[in-house]
Every structure is written in C-alpha cells, then in structure tokens.
Amino acid sequence: MARIPTIPGSRRLLARVRDIMAGAGTAQERLDRIVAIIATDMVAEVCSIYVLRAGEVLELFANTGLAPSAVHQTRLNIGEGLIGNIARRARPLALSDAQSHPAFAYRPETGEEKYHSLAGVPILRDGRVTGVIAVQNRTRRHYTEEETESLETIAMVVAELIASGELISSDELHAVDGATMLPITVQGVRLNGGLAIGTAIRHERRVTIDRLVADNPDTEKQRLFGALGDMHGAIDRMLEASDVADGGEPREILETYRMFAEDAGWLARIEEAIETGLSAEAAVVKVRNDTRARFRMQTDPYLRERMHDFEDLANRLLKHLIGEMVSPGSRADVGDFILVARNMGPAELLDYDRTHLKGLVLEEGSATTHVAIVAKALDIPVVGRAGEILAMVENLDTIVIDGDNAEVHVRPSDEAINAYNYMLTARAQKIAAYASLYDVPAETKDGIHISLNVNAGLLADVQNMKDIGADGIGLYRTEIPFMESNNFPDVDRQADLYQRIIDQSEGKPVVFRTLDVGGDKDLPYWKMAAGENPAMGWRAVRVALDRPTILRHQFRALIRAANGRELRVMFPMITEVAEFDAARHIVDQEIKTAEARGRTLPEKLLIGTMLEVPALAYQMDALLERVDFVSVGSNDLFQFLFASDRGSPVIADRYDPLAPAALCLLADVARRCTDAGIPFSVCGEMAGRPLDAMALVGLGFRNLSMATSSIGPVKAMIRSLSATELTEYMDSLFSSSEHSLREKLREFAVDHGVII
Ligand code: PEP
Ligand code: MG
C-alpha cells in the first residue's frame, strides 16, 4: 500500500476553518474569515470564493487581496475564465503562469493583472459544482499537489455552508429567480406517455454526515479499517453464499468486487483525505465525489461502468461507517414528485413512495428499459435521454413531464403551469370518458369479441384490472415482485403473493409468466454478468433451465397459491421446442413431487409459451402439439426480428411493428394457431396502441394484453371497427415493399371512422 504523507499543516488549517464555521457571525462574515485564513496559511496574496448562483452564474462572494468592490460584483458564467473553467471541468487547476492559459479572462474591476499564478478547486456537493475556491500569487509559484488537496478539503466544508442556505437563500438555491433561473425545456425520448406536474427529486442516495472534520486521524483510520473489515466480511459471506445456493451472486462478479474493495489507490486516497483532517466518512465522500467528477468527463462506457463500481463501493463503505443512507424521495413532506436520475434500476424506482411518485426523467434510460416497464405498471410518464438534466435541476424545482411529447419543462412559468393544469384536467376528463366504456363489451361493429387483458406486475394492477372491466391478466411479470424484494423470495413468500393475486382476481384468468431475469433485468441482490448483448444473453428460461431449482420453487409456489383452482403459466424467451420440453419436464417433476406430498393440484393446468424469439416461429407445428396457448411478446420478437435494440432511442423508430415483414410473421402465427385450435394473444406494447391493435385484430388476433391505461383507448377503437372489412383490406397489403404500412392503416382508420 502507498505510504501516506502526513500533512499536519493542512489539518491545522482545516481545524481553523471548522472553528470558524462553528463560531459566531453571519455566514458572509464566516466566509470572509475563511478566505483570510486560507490566504495566510497558504501564503497567498489573494484568496477568493465564488458561489454558483441560480442561472449557472459564479459570483465572487468573498475575497482577500483583490479590490473589495469586486465582491458581489464580479460574475462569471460556467466555462468563462479560469474560475469558470474549473467549475465546468469540476477539476482542480494549478498554474504557475495563469495569464498564458487560453481560458484566462481579465476582469478589470478586480485588479488581478498583477497575479501570475493561480490554484483553484471546485466546491462539490453530491458530485455537483456549487462554487470555486482559488488562491493567487504574484510570483510564478508552483503549487504542490498537497496544497490543492488541502484546498479541496476546505471546499468540502464550504460546500456545507453553501448548502445550508445561509449564504444565498434556500429559495434561490432551489427555486425560481426570474432573472437568472430561467425556465428550460429539455427534449428526450418517450419511454412512457402521460402528463404530470410535481416537485423535482434528484435520485441520489444522500448521506448526512454530521462530523466532517476530525482531530485525530489515527482514530479515523481505525474507524475506516473497521468499516472496511465489516464490508469485506459482508462480501465474503456473499461469496460463500454463492457457493452453496442457487440464486447467490455469481462468484466472478463478487471476486471482481472484492478486487475493487482492495484497490490500493482508492484506499490510499481515502487515507490521504483523512490525513488532511477529514472524518473517515467525509474522506470517503470526498474521494467518491472526486471520482464521480472525474468519471463524468468519460465517454467510454467501460470506464463509466467502473465509476458505478467505485460509487457502489463507496456507498457500501459509508453504510458500514454511518449506517443507512436516506434518499430524499423517502421524505414524506415533498408531496407529488418527479424523479430525476442519470439512470436507475427498476428495484430502485420501487423504493420510492408510489402514492406521490408522478413521473420519471432519465439522462440515459435506454439500456434499462425495464425501469420504464415498471414505471408503466405504475402508470407514470417517463422521458429518457433527457440530456444533462441533472445539471439543470435542483431538488424542489417544479417540473412538468410531458411523456407523450417526450419533453420536460423545468421551472415553468406560472402561465405555463396554469396551461398544464388545464391539460391535466382535460386528460382526466378524457380518461373519465373511457370509464363509460368499462362495462360495455369489447366488440367490433361486425360482432367479433376481443378479449382485453392487462399486463401486471404489482398487486395494485389486479384491482385496476377489475375496476376497468378487463377480462383478466394476460401477462403477470413475476420478476417485478422479485425486484421489489431485498432478497430472493422463498417459496412461502412467493406462494403468499401469487395466492393474493389469484384471490383478488376473483375468477378472472391470470397468466403467470415464470421469472424473466438476467440480461438487463437485474435483481438488486443477484448481480448477473451482463455480457455484450444482455437481451440475447443468459436470461429468462435460459436461467431457469440452468438453475432448475428456481423454476421448481416458483412452480411449487404457484401450485400452492392455486390451491385446486385453475392455473395458467407460460415461459419467457423459449427459442426452440426442445427448450419448451425441458422446461415442461421440470414443471412435471414438481407436479409429481406435489402429488407425492399430497398437495392439492390445480383443477386445470394450462402451460403455454411466449413467442418472442423468431426461431420458434419456424417450429410452429411441433410447438402447437405441445402448448395450451401462445402469447406473442412483440417487444422482444421485433427486436430480434429486425436486429434492433428495443431500448436504443437512436433506432427506436427505425423499424416499425407495422412493417410488412412484421405483419407477415404475425399473420402466419395467427393462421397456424387458428388452424390448430390453440388460443393465442399478443402481450407486447404494440397491443396497447390503438392503431397497432387495430392491425392485430385485422390479422385475426382476438386476445390482447396491455397496460391498464390502454384498455379504454383500445376498446374505443374496437367498438368503432369492422374487422371483416379491415382483414380484406390487409390481405392486399402483405406483398408491399414499403418500409411501413402505418400510413395506409391510418388512412383506413380515418376513412372508416375508426377511433385511433
Ligand atoms: C415482450 O417481449 O413483448 C414482453 C411482453 O416481455 P417483456 O417486455 O417483459 O420482455
Ligand atoms: Mg420479452
């Protein structure tokens, strides 16, 4: 391990800064004293503190050495001059000849032309820049690394002073200042439609550190090593668990993880930070913030992933040092809120209070489409790829999220808020208008009944399904409750949940899909190697066949939950008939065991398959001899058919489910299932879009499953459609060479008065 230099000088300086912070006087007076002692201690002629004000403006807040009149007058934009440059890069800068740096900008009101050298550091809080501290000297001075480190440590303390709201009002820290905090609209991609207004909550596990500064570095190091020991112990226990149980974290991931935990450079940086006078927890936060700021500049996805590893590690270590961290979203006092995150897993989304969570904005949001599926189950709008929105939004800003148009309006004006409130009312009225359709049958004008079912994953979906008069649950994604859990649910917990779903469905059919995890559908307690193409990797039934215990336990729970009633189950991602046979064999074994144990078996057991891998469509004859039903998962089916990542916004609109190739495939599946007398349906997202659903009905699909919010619009479409006319029309389209038949189908709808 690297030898840690002792820096008693910087510790003394930090202790003095801490005393000033704890002492008397206004925040401004304390800041003035801080610049004075930094200048004295570092033998600098100038010391300045700039604070980031609303509208991305850095204002000179305290200074010694420059013209006093410049304080509160000198303002720089992010990126402007050396100070703006430090803020933009979120990195320290030390220059012996500052004026020759290309970013140098001369401000006559400060009189700083005399000073040749400059060292500055960003003031960071939660990985965001909130100001800059800089020292300047007349001579061409070479500042040492220890000196900039020392400034960084003081910056942490000053960050707390800024965040306290004593220096600039918390109103300005968070809310609208007409002159500088202008409203902004950020364009992203639609991950789920809908409209909502709420308070912004940035998704970041916030650490409350009560003790930033510590007098005795040795005690802090002991605490650090104690926590590290605990953390290693916890990782080792996970490693042991992975040896003995199915469902433990795969060994190689944990090994890598432990390697990171023992990374000498990382630990050395934490120890160095302690040497400068920080408490152990503040030192971990400092190193985490530095790493975050550094990695943020990285465009290489591999390196960005490493940032997540170190960040995760730092968070775990903090947990061992100070206990649980709180997330702002769990606060009860924010009212309705819109979550803003760089990216997040579905399980993390489910950690938030669902009654007040009204929308989700993601800076990335393409890789983890599953969070969007969970958000859809929660019926909240989601906008992804929303630029650098975290840099523009503060906690408690007002946000309007318009999922339909993939727009996020940050700090909208009062007029805009009124307009959006009006739109919200109009939407509510439209939704209420659909309510009048809940009790009427989903029947076309020519008398064809279409079974409309919901896609579910939360218990609340079951109530919604009944409320809106759907026929049943066409797809129950069992992985969603697994994601909500902190550990792998055992048979009892699964059985209890499935039983509640069946009970509450009151006789309406429920199709349980066995666990579809792996690839990008991560469980928080079971990190699986992602591979290069996670969607095509070790996921869904592929995992079940390799870890049969998981499938057997799930089936055991389902048999118990059914308790003699009908049970419908399907497997995800079946690629070939042999896989269906293998999965079925595991299930049969479990039935035999249940029988031998005298368990009550379901009065009727229907075992079906998802059709979401194109290869399976070429084995339809063999498949249809074996299955009780087929459910087309168009989301995956088309991503594989078109070789087009379903989560990538760049190619999201490139291929259309209403393209001739896609419709030919669906028509073929529908015809073969009809001929064989096997029930078939579509449960992918296309079934919930009125025009796409219209095409499916034209192809012969009579059973559709969709998000609850789509039932009303799809039923309105069905009741205004003559299916026979549409089928005749579509017969003429299959040989088309066009990119998509969407426009033709839209014209048909308009000409025939179909509500789409
Ligand atoms: C599908 O792929 O269409 C489907 C319904 O499954 P999921 O979206 O859960 O992958
Ligand atoms: Mg799928």
Side-chain angles (χ1 to χ4, degrees):
M1 190 171 293
R3 233 190 72 72
I4 310 299
T6 41
I7 318 163
S10 67
R11 208 160 57 233
R12 191 186 54 233
L13 175 58
L14 186 63
R16 290 180 66 191
V17 170
R18 178 197 52 192
D19 292 345
I20 293 173
M21 289 279 286
T26 64
Q28 178 69 54
E29 284 161 359
R30 278 178 280 159
L31 205 64
D32 291 341
R33 267 180 251 144
I34 290 173
V35 287
I37 64 149
I38 296 175
T40 313
D41 203 276
M42 292 187 67
V43 199
E45 280 105 31
V46 176
C47 177
S48 317
I49 294 182
Y50 289 80
V51 174
L52 187 67
R53 301 204 71 148
E56 307 261 282
V57 176
L58 289 156
E59 180 177 311
L60 180 62
F61 252 73
N63 171 266
T64 176
L66 297 181
S69 56
V71 174
H72 295 301
Q73 293 305 317
T74 296
R75 288 179 160 212
L76 296 157
N77 292 319
I78 298 270
E80 187 184 349
L82 294 174
I83 300 297
N85 197 270
I86 292 165
R88 190 178 58 75
R89 293 165 61 247
R91 299 283 303 272
L93 194 63
L95 301 167
S96 56
D97 184 8
Q99 290 173 23
S100 66
H101 191 281
F104 178 79
Y106 173 55
R107 282 310 184 94
E109 74 272 19
T110 59
E112 64 181 342
E113 66 280 9
K114 304 187 280 290
Y115 303 101
H116 280 105
S117 46
L118 176 143
V121 299
I123 302 174
L124 291 166
R125 193 159 194 278
D126 294 330
R128 282 164 56 87
V129 174
T130 59
V132 172
I133 303 184
V135 290
Q136 286 168 277
N137 282 81
R138 279 207 183 89
T139 56
R140 292 182 200 276
R141 170 170 171 184
H142 289 275
Y143 300 96
T144 64
E145 220 173 278
E146 283 75 26
E147 283 167 332
T148 38
E149 284 271 321
S150 172
L151 272 181
E152 280 185 295
T153 308
I154 292 173
M156 276 188 81
V157 180
V158 176
E160 294 308 309
L161 187 64
I162 297 173
S164 70
E166 291 171 75
L167 220 45
I168 49 176
S169 72
S170 49
D171 272 1
E172 194 192 338
L173 270 179
H174 301 301
V176 184
D177 167 315
T180 50
M181 284 290 266
L182 296 172
I184 5 168
T185 296
V186 180
Q187 188 74 41
V189 296
R190 172 195 160 128
L191 297 184
N192 194 32
L195 183 71
I197 303 182
T199 299
I201 293 293
R202 297 159 56 90
H203 169 69
E204 51 206 354
R205 299 274 156 188
R206 204 175 270 272
V207 205
T208 6
I209 295 183
D210 299 327
R211 215 169 50 97
L212 273 171
V213 180
D215 292 325
N216 188 340
D218 291 336
T219 319
E220 294 309 301
K221 279 195 221 165
Q222 269 168 20
R223 290 184 59 229
L224 173 72
F225 286 115
L228 273 170
D230 292 348
M231 187 174 84
H232 285 170
I235 296 176
D236 286 344
R237 279 193 295 285
M238 279 194 248
L239 267 166
E240 277 158 29
S242 75
D243 284 343
V244 293
D246 267 345
E249 299 205 35
R251 191 170 182 96
E252 59 288 9
I253 301 223
L254 288 167
E255 297 277 17
T256 321
Y257 207 80
R258 186 159 66 181
M259 206 177 75
F260 275 122
E262 284 164 4
D263 181 282
W266 182 65
L267 289 180
R269 284 200 300 280
I270 299 175
E271 282 187 81
E272 271 172 33
I274 289 178
E275 282 293 342
T276 64
L278 291 177
S279 66
E281 51 271 38
V284 174
V285 170
K286 176 175 183 295
V287 171
R288 188 196 62 184
N289 288 351
D290 292 349
T291 315
R292 210 189 260 173
R294 256 167 228 155
F295 276 92
R296 260 203 181 161
M297 320 288 291
Q298 282 294 342
T299 45
D300 181 333
Y302 173 79
L303 287 176
R304 284 184 76 105
E305 269 312 306
R306 297 288 69 76
M307 174 185 88
H308 290 301
D309 289 341
F310 277 112
E311 184 138 352
D312 191 17
L313 214 52
N315 289 341
R316 272 176 200 248
L317 188 52
L318 282 171
K319 224 170 167 178
H320 287 285
L321 272 166
I322 51 172
E324 282 298 319
M325 289 175 279
V326 290
S327 94
S330 58
R331 275 174 18 196
D333 57 349
V334 290
D336 287 350
F337 64 93
I338 314 278
L339 205 54
V340 185
R342 190 167 60 232
N343 206 342
M344 69 194 301
E348 291 177 291
L349 180 69
L350 292 166
D351 270 350
Y352 284 86
D353 168 12
R354 286 175 221 169
T355 45
H356 290 295
L357 172 63
K358 296 295 170 199
L360 173 65
V361 186
L362 301 171
E363 280 192 350
E364 298 176 356
S366 58
T368 325
T369 44
H370 216 229
V371 71
I373 287 178
V374 173
K376 197 171 247 190
L378 297 172
D379 201 15
I380 56 169
V382 187
V383 171
R385 288 273 160 150
E388 300 240 310
I389 193 154
L390 279 170
M392 304 171 211
V393 174
E394 276 293 348
N395 276 330
L396 308 184
D397 275 344
T398 299
I399 285 197
V400 173
I401 171 167
D402 178 352
D404 298 336
N405 296 305
E407 277 181 356
V408 185
H409 308 278
V410 183
R411 299 177 292 272
S413 63
D414 288 349
E415 296 76 39
I417 290 182
N418 287 343
Y420 286 115
N421 271 323
Y422 179 79
M423 278 161 69
L424 271 174
T425 314
R427 276 182 77 92
Q429 281 165 352
K430 203 166 154 196
I431 290 165
Y434 287 127
S436 64
L437 289 179
Y438 290 164
D439 296 331
V440 299
E443 212 167 272
T444 61
K445 287 204 294 191
D446 47 346
I448 295 174
H449 180 79
I450 310 293
S451 174
L452 295 186
N453 300 275
V454 300
N455 292 347
L458 304 169
L459 208 52
D461 291 324
V462 184
Q463 190 56 44
N464 293 341
M465 178 268 288
K466 289 187 292 180
D467 289 350
I468 61 172
D471 294 318
I473 296 178
L475 163 64
Y476 182 85
R477 291 182 165 103
T478 56
E479 60 274 11
I480 292 182
F482 274 68
M483 288 171 184
E484 281 195 273
S485 174
N486 292 328
N487 47 34
F488 221 89
D490 60 13
V491 175
D492 289 345
R493 257 170 66 206
Q494 289 188 55
D496 180 57
L497 173 72
Y498 303 149
Q499 187 189 328
R500 285 202 282 168
I501 289 158
I502 299 173
D503 288 351
Q504 290 183 23
S505 296
E506 296 169 345
K508 293 198 175 197
V510 181
V511 179
F512 289 95
R513 178 175 73 182
T514 59
L515 207 55
D516 184 3
V517 291
D520 65 340
K521 294 179 182 182
D522 239 358
L523 297 179
Y525 42 87
W526 187 19
K527 295 242 178 294
M528 302 157 96
E532 286 213 359
N533 283 310
M536 300 193 213
W538 196 57
R539 61 173 278 206
V541 81
R542 298 168 185 185
V543 176
L545 295 178
D546 291 351
R547 299 272 191 280
T549 322
I550 296 178
L551 181 57
R552 283 191 70 156
H553 283 182
Q554 191 165 29
F555 217 79
R556 193 172 303 170
L558 285 165
I559 293 174
R560 252 192 239 174
N563 195 20
R565 291 169 287 189
E566 175 190 283
L567 182 60
R568 300 181 188 213
V569 182
M570 64 179 173
F571 305 119
M573 286 287 288
I574 294 281
T575 306
E576 52 179 11
V577 170
E579 269 180 356
F580 179 83
D581 286 344
R584 173 88 220 206
H585 178 69
I586 295 170
V587 164
D588 285 341
Q589 277 180 314
E590 191 50 43
I591 293 171
K592 276 200 201 112
T593 311
E595 223 168 3
R597 288 182 184 163
R599 298 262 184 216
T600 316
L601 294 181
E603 54 157 7
K604 191 169 167 197
L605 178 62
L606 298 171
I607 306 281
T609 184
M610 298 272 297
L611 199 165
E612 46 185 354
V613 182
L616 194 60
Y618 291 92
Q619 284 194 291
M620 288 303 279
D621 289 340
L623 183 73
L624 292 170
E625 282 170 14
R626 292 160 161 84
V627 295
D628 294 315
F629 61 92
V630 172
S631 186
V632 177
S634 52
N635 305 340
D636 277 318
L637 184 64
F638 294 150
Q639 87 163 333
F640 300 130
L641 184 70
F642 292 118
S644 170
D645 182 350
R646 68 190 253 190
S648 163
V650 186
I651 47 170
D653 298 323
R654 189 159 188 120
Y655 305 101
D656 192 342
L658 301 185
L663 293 180
C664 283
L665 173 58
L666 290 170
D668 195 50
V669 169
R671 196 177 52 247
R672 283 163 173 275
C673 291
T674 310
D675 291 350
I678 297 294
F680 60 103
S681 61
V682 174
C683 64
E685 304 302 307
M686 75 179 292
R689 294 190 289 262
L691 184 65
D692 300 41
M694 181 189 92
L696 290 170
V697 172
L699 295 176
F701 285 85
R702 301 292 177 252
N703 186 316
L704 304 174
S705 193
M706 61 201 73
T708 33
S709 53
S710 296
I711 295 275
V714 170
K715 199 186 265 190
M717 178 281 293
I718 287 168
R719 291 178 57 83
S720 57
L721 170 74
S722 165
T724 325
E725 261 180 86
L726 174 63
T727 303
E728 275 167 25
Y729 173 67
M730 286 183 74
D731 279 346
S732 66
L733 298 179
F734 290 120
S735 54
S736 165
S737 59
E738 285 180 54
H739 160 69
S740 165
L741 299 173
R742 185 167 294 277
E743 272 322 301
K744 290 228 160 65
L745 287 162
R746 197 189 306 280
E747 279 164 25
F748 175 92
V750 172
D751 292 349
H752 293 77
V754 184
I755 303 169
I756 46 164

